[in-house]
Every structure is written in C-alpha cells, then in structure tokens.
C-alpha cells in the first residue's frame, strides 16, 4: 500500500497491498453480516434491515417471473411453508416487547403473504400480480413505519415499548405517520394495505372455486391468511395503544392496590 503525502514524499507500507486489504474487508463483511442483521432489528441503524428487505423483495419478484414454470408439487410445498411462516411470524410479532423486533417479524409474515399468492394454481394469471402488488404496498407503509419509529426512538432513547410508552402522543405529524403506517399494515380500508391483501385473498378464493386434487393446500393458505390478518390487526392496535397512551403513575397504582386490599376484608366479613 503506497501513496503521496502532503509534502510530496512517497510512502509505502510493506507487506500490505490494496488487494489484501480489500479481501480482508470483504471477508470481514461476510462474517459481520449475521450479527448486523440481529442488531438491525433493535439498533439505531436501519440500513442493513432495509437491504435485507430489498433482497427478499427481489426474491419474490424472481419467483413471480418463473411462476408459470413451477410444478404443482412445488406450489403445494410453497403454500404450506408460506402458511406456517406467516402465522408463526405474526404470533412472534404480537409477543415482542421491542417495536423494531415487532416490525422485523411483521416483515417476515408479510413476505409469506406475498409468497402465498404464488402458491395457488399456476393457471390463475392474477396470482403473480397479487403477490407483487402486496410487495409494493408493503414497501410503502413499512418504510413509513421504520422512518417514524426511528425518529421516535431518538426521542425516547430506545426501541423497547417500555422506553417509548406514550412518546408518540401529541407529536403531530409523527403520531399520525405511525398511525397511518400501522393502519395500512393492519389492512384498514381505504389504505393501500387493505387492497393488496384483498388481492391475495381474491386469488385464494378463485383457486378454491376451481377445486382440484390440491384444494386442501388452498384451504390451509386461506385459513392462515385470515388468522394472520387478525393477528396483524391485533399487534398493530397493541403497538398504537402502547405508543400513544401513558403508563399509569405510581400514585394510581398504589391507589388501586389500596382499594383491592380494603375490598378483601369487606368481602370476607360479608
């Protein structure tokens, strides 16, 4: 590695070349990516998680392109895997105590919804369009949510719901940006998330009407879709309530405990 200093002299670092440094940097990046993905869900830097979501979106687009070339066996396998993934990821999102982890598991669930559209009968021409439509709508409202939550985490000093409890209340554009993003994620009409999910459900219903030997896969996917929609609405409502309502004060908690303790002897005496 060599160069020219400010005074015009030539300097060289022996035993180190530009190629060696580049190789070491690339090797380091390969080793650091898994840890970076873990940190991106709860850390301050959203760039890595955005790149991963973009990679998933590219994968969905490629699957949509080759949709007509896949066999029924592959469709059935994709449908079952997508059903399990969307439901399990939605359950995990509901159980999270950190808002970014909730959004990360939500992304996995929504990607499974995109893939489920491609799992229906290859004869349905609208299936790839439904999956890609939800892909584009998801990119819009999830980007809004990550930007808004990133802003809120700077204000609250963390991403845990405990640190952000009530922080969005009364913050104008920030509060309503979070509200619109969560409503779109939950599929509330007339927001874009409602229409993209409706497109996937419509494809599932059309595939169910055609019947066939693999109709059971369509039933599995359809039931998983409906349950996932309900779970998504539940954890979005939970996040909204936690971010916009203040935690009860210590005085309120003590007063409630005092009322409970005074009611117990009265009940025993009666």
């Amino acid at each position: 590695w060599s160069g020219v200093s400010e005074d015009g002299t030539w300097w060289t670092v022996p035993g180190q070349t530009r190629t060696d440094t580049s190789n070491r940097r690339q090797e380091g990046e390969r080793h650091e990516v898994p840890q970076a993905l873990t940190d991106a869900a709860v850390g301050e830097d959203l760039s890595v998680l955005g790149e991963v979501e973009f990679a998933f979106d590219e994968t969905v687009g490629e699957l949509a392109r080759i949709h007509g070339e896949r066999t029924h066996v592959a469709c059935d396998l994709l449908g079952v895997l997508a059903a399990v993934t969307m439901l399990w990821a939605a359950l995990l999102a509901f159980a999270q105590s950190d808002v970014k982890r909730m959004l990360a598991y939500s992304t996995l669930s929504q990607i499974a919804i995109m893939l489920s559209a491609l799992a229906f009968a290859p004869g349905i021409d609208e299936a790839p369009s439904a999956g890609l439509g939800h892909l584009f709508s998801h990119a819009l409202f999830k980007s809004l949510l990550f930007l808004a939550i990133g802003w809120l985490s700077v204000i609250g000093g963390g991403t845990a719901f405990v640190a952000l409890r009530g922080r969005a209340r009364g913050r104008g554009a920030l509060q309503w940006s979070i509200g619109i993003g969560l409503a779109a994620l939950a599929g509330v009409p007339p927001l874009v998330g409602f229409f993209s999910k409706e497109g996937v459900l419509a494809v599932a219903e059309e595939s169910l009407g055609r019947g066939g030997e693999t109709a059971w896969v369509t039933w599995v996917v359809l039931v998983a879709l409906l349950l996932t929609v309900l779970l998504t609405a539940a954890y979005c409502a939970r996040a909204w309530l936690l971010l916009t309502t203040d935690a009860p004060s210590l005085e309120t908690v003590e007063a409630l405990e005092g009322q409970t303790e005074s009611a117990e002897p009265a009940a025993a005496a009666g």
Side-chain angles (χ1 to χ4, degrees):
W1 187 273
S2 60
V4 180
S5 61
E6 295 181 355
D7 58 0
T9 59
W10 185 268
W11 54 269
T12 302
V13 178
Q16 183 180 25
T17 65
R18 186 182 300 271
T19 303
D20 294 337
T21 305
S22 176
N23 291 339
R24 277 196 293 271
R25 185 176 65 252
Q26 292 175 0
E27 292 176 359
E29 289 175 352
R30 286 197 295 269
H31 290 296
E32 292 172 3
V33 164
Q35 183 62 37
L37 295 182
T38 305
D39 296 340
V42 294
E44 299 298 333
D45 187 8
L46 300 178
S47 59
V48 175
L49 198 57
E51 292 173 2
V52 173
E53 185 171 353
F54 174 77
F56 277 123
D57 292 348
E58 288 291 313
T59 303
V60 175
E62 181 65 16
L63 286 175
R65 186 184 65 81
I66 63 175
H67 177 264
E69 303 174 3
R70 293 180 295 129
T71 63
H72 286 281
V73 176
C75 290
D76 296 343
L77 180 60
L78 180 60
V80 173
L81 292 177
V84 173
T85 301
M86 72 174 74
L87 193 56
W88 181 244
L91 286 170
L92 291 176
F94 184 81
Q96 295 306 307
S97 60
D98 186 283
V99 64
K100 282 189 180 179
R101 286 189 182 275
M102 185 201 77
L103 292 178
Y105 282 114
S106 170
T107 298
L108 294 178
S109 180
Q110 299 303 307
I111 289 172
I113 293 178
M114 303 171 200
L115 292 174
S116 69
L118 306 180
F120 300 124
I124 300 179
D125 297 334
E126 295 81 6
S129 299
L132 291 173
H134 190 55
L135 185 154
F136 293 134
S137 68
H138 176 262
L140 291 175
F141 59 72
K142 191 56 71 69
S143 298
L144 174 63
L145 280 174
F146 273 120
L147 288 172
I149 294 301
W151 182 5
L152 189 65
S153 67
V154 174
I155 297 174
T159 58
F161 280 115
V162 174
L164 299 180
R165 182 71 184 266
R167 294 284 186 173
R169 183 178 181 181
R171 296 195 179 272
L174 177 59
Q175 177 179 355
W176 293 113
S177 296
I178 295 174
I180 292 172
L182 289 174
L185 175 59
V188 176
L191 299 176
V192 65
F194 167 78
F195 295 103
S196 61
K197 291 180 181 180
E198 179 66 21
V200 177
L201 288 172
V203 171
E205 292 173 358
E206 182 179 352
S207 176
L208 189 62
R210 296 190 178 190
E213 298 179 356
T214 59
W216 66 272
V217 177
T218 305
W219 272 111
V220 169
V221 175
L222 186 58
V223 172
L225 277 170
L226 295 174
L227 292 176
T228 301
V229 168
L230 294 176
L231 280 172
T232 303
Y235 65 70
C236 286
R238 171 178 175 263
W240 172 254
L241 291 174
L242 289 174
L243 296 176
T244 57
T245 58
D246 296 328
S249 62
L250 181 60
E251 292 78 7
T252 303
V253 175
E254 292 177 349
L256 291 174
E257 291 178 350
Q259 293 176 2
T260 304
E261 292 175 356
S262 61
E264 289 178 354

